[in-house]
Amino acid sequence: MADFILRTENLSKRYRILPTAGRGWRGNQRVLVDDIARIANRIRGREFTEKRISFWALKDVSFEAKSGDVIGVIGRNGAGKSTLLKLLGRVTEPTAGRAIIYGRVGSLLEVGTGFHSELTGRENIFISGAIIGMSRAEIKRKFDEIVAFSGVEEFLDTPVKRYSSGMEVRLAFSIAAHLQPQVLLVDEVLAVGDASFQQKSLQKIKQVSENGGTILFISHNMSTIASLCNQAIVLDQGKVVFELGPVTDAINSYLSGVAKRQLAQLEETRQEEEPGPIKISAFSIRGPDGTFLETLTSGAPMDLQLDYKLQGPAPIKDVNVSILIKTLKGEVIASLDNQATIGPLTLSNREGRINCHIDKLPLTSGNICISLLVEQTGRLVDRIEDAFIGDIDRGGVYDRRKSSDNRGWVLIDQDWSVR
């Protein structure tokens, strides 16, 4: 047998799509005209040819995975991550290239994948096992473990169409992990489950790896990738931009690309003001080890770094920087302001960096955006809306409450006792 479990050779997937003809109703107008033309040509006995363009969702992806590898697949939305897993899971056929896999493949690609909605959870367990090549006897041996892990005992004989998305994910992951696949494909659907189930799932993934299984794991949470995976690959626009290698290097490669995109977006989100003596040139959030953060963690330390350029001679005095943390609706959750702490700043260099350190982020999990304001002698000289848009994840015991709780936004250190 080969010394690898999984190998891809120039794996590619091409789709043919209709070019965009316009926005809003004009796009619908084109669809209506094409439909009328298609019907008219069919009546006349003619063929109607649509003008389509080729779109490569994945292009020339090659890597090799060995037994016990846990590989993180990193990339922004639309990078080709899910397409890669669908090709490996044989959900769709490649346009070019090939994948060589030794052994069973278990996949968890999206909520409800592989389930028949009219059948019960019990029936779907046997069907899913049979699909990946398990005998009925093998499934029966694992049945009690699967059900106990999923936590859907009470609904085992209920049609899956009546399950919540969280219940479907729990059962699907339990089946995929317990039927001993040699290759386990996990997309980001674990985020649908609650915190306790996510923790159980990550432990189970490690167990599958320790037993010799190979895992491909997609996530936008870099801390999860770093803690779970021993290698990673970075995709962008369907192509490999970081070959399979050490996780830390892959994460840094991806986040440096994120920082470059954010820098390009600064100009798009900059609010036009009267030309002032100071201009924001970059903004980033970094962890204690200096890596870029795309997802923040509740209760964790971080540095918010704002790079600036002076438009005239230095020094510039009486400078105030405000960092506004807001909900996606625009409501201000917190305001960080040097004026209220160390007083006005004096910028002595033509270029530099202003750093705001937070020992322990006192915010609960949720989605936030950050805006930047710079004032000089009380006059607003630069403003950037939505310089950062991202998530805050739970930080262990610091935010242990369920996401369904009405917990507000701010976490306050507490000391409870009973007398």
Side-chain angles (χ1 to χ4, degrees):
M1 182 176 173
D3 60 351
F4 61 87
I5 296 292
L6 165 66
R7 172 188 282 173
T8 67
E9 299 174 353
N10 299 318
L11 197 62
S12 305
K13 181 64 178 179
R14 180 183 64 191
Y15 293 101
R16 295 183 64 81
I17 60 175
L18 287 170
T20 301
R23 296 180 180 178
W25 68 271
R26 293 190 181 277
N28 295 331
Q29 183 185 49
R30 183 209 58 196
V31 173
L32 178 60
V33 170
D34 285 353
D35 288 344
I36 293 172
R38 187 183 296 106
I39 294 170
N41 281 284
R42 186 173 298 171
I43 293 172
R44 295 170 184 169
R46 300 175 184 173
E47 290 187 4
F48 175 75
T49 56
E50 293 177 312
K51 295 181 180 179
R52 293 176 177 265
I53 60 174
S54 294
F55 165 70
W56 288 95
L58 206 66
K59 183 67 173 175
D60 296 331
V61 174
S62 301
F63 66 92
E64 189 174 288
K66 299 180 180 179
S67 177
D69 280 346
V70 183
I71 298 173
V73 184
I74 306 173
R76 57 177 176 163
N77 293 331
K81 306 185 299 298
S82 296
T83 301
L84 172 62
L85 263 60
K86 286 177 181 177
L87 291 172
L88 297 177
R90 298 174 186 173
V91 174
T92 184
E93 292 290 326
T95 304
R98 64 173 183 166
I100 305 170
I101 302 174
Y102 291 98
R104 297 175 180 140
V105 178
S107 59
L108 187 59
L109 304 181
E110 57 187 39
V111 177
T113 297
F115 280 174
H116 193 298
S117 61
E118 297 294 335
L119 300 181
T120 65
R122 184 188 303 274
E123 292 165 333
N124 274 294
I125 291 174
F126 282 93
I127 290 175
S128 297
I131 288 173
I132 67 170
M134 300 287 287
S135 68
R136 190 173 181 83
E138 287 177 292
I139 299 171
K140 283 183 175 180
R141 281 200 302 270
K142 291 285 184 179
F143 187 84
D144 291 340
E145 291 180 38
I146 292 170
V147 174
F149 188 91
S150 67
V152 299
E153 297 95 330
E154 298 178 15
F155 308 96
L156 199 57
D157 294 306
T158 302
V160 168
K161 67 182 180 181
R162 294 191 172 91
Y163 284 17
S164 68
S165 58
M167 291 168 64
E168 282 192 58
V169 166
R170 292 203 301 271
L171 182 59
F173 179 82
S174 186
I175 294 170
H178 282 84
L179 296 182
Q180 297 180 330
Q182 276 69 45
V183 178
L184 180 61
L185 311 174
V186 184
D187 208 333
E188 209 170 13
V189 292
L190 291 183
V192 177
D194 56 35
S196 61
F197 180 75
Q198 289 179 31
Q199 190 63 33
K200 283 171 52 179
S201 299
L202 295 177
Q203 291 172 356
K204 189 64 180 177
I205 287 174
K206 291 180 181 178
Q207 184 181 336
V208 171
S209 170
E210 291 167 358
N211 292 334
T214 299
I215 298 155
L216 267 70
F217 184 76
I218 290 178
S219 178
H220 286 100
N221 189 323
M222 294 301 108
S223 60
T224 302
I225 292 283
S227 63
L228 185 66
C229 304
N230 61 350
Q231 295 189 85
I233 185 172
V234 183
L235 301 178
D236 188 28
Q237 295 182 344
K239 298 180 181 179
V240 177
V241 294
F242 181 88
E243 299 285 348
L244 187 65
V247 176
T248 303
D249 293 343
I251 292 175
N252 287 336
S253 172
Y254 168 65
L255 293 179
S256 64
V258 171
K260 290 177 182 177
R261 288 194 298 272
Q262 288 181 343
L263 179 59
Q265 292 168 355
L266 282 181
E267 292 302 323
E268 298 177 12
T269 57
R270 189 183 304 276
Q271 303 295 304
E272 293 296 333
E273 305 287 343
E274 294 181 16
I278 309 164
K279 186 176 182 180
I280 300 170
S281 58
F283 176 73
S284 61
I285 304 177
R286 297 175 184 258
D289 57 355
T291 57
F292 291 97
L293 298 181
E294 194 175 32
T295 300
L296 311 184
T297 301
S298 194
M302 65 192 62
D303 288 279
L304 294 88
Q305 299 181 344
L306 182 150
D307 292 358
Y308 70 86
K309 291 183 179 180
L310 300 187
Q311 305 302 300
I316 297 292
K317 298 182 178 180
D318 198 15
V319 176
N320 183 54
V321 176
S322 297
I323 301 174
L324 304 181
I325 303 175
K326 304 185 293 184
T327 68
L328 296 185
K329 293 181 180 180
E331 302 160 335
V332 177
I333 303 167
S335 176
L336 310 176
D337 191 324
N338 63 270
Q339 186 82 31
T341 52
I342 62 173
L345 303 176
T346 298
L347 306 181
S348 303
N349 300 316
R350 293 290 301 274
E351 296 184 11
R353 172 173 294 170
I354 300 169
N355 189 79
C356 177
H357 177 74
I358 298 176
D359 279 329
K360 188 166 64 173
L361 183 66
L363 299 179
T364 57
S365 55
N367 301 313
I368 64 162
C369 57
I370 293 177
S371 296
L372 311 173
L373 289 85
V374 180
E375 296 174 302
Q376 198 260 330
T377 62
R379 182 172 70 94
L380 185 63
V381 294
D382 202 7
R383 179 176 64 178
I384 295 178
E385 296 290 342
D386 302 337
F388 173 89
I389 300 176
D391 302 327
I392 300 176
D393 283 344
R394 295 183 186 88
V397 295
Y398 194 65
D399 184 11
R400 66 176 72 188
R401 287 163 289 187
K402 297 180 180 179
S403 60
S404 59
D405 293 341
N406 182 17
R407 66 196 184 287
W409 273 101
V410 180
L411 292 170
I412 300 175
D413 287 332
Q414 306 163 45
D415 185 9
W416 291 68
S417 62
V418 177
R419 296 181 181 177

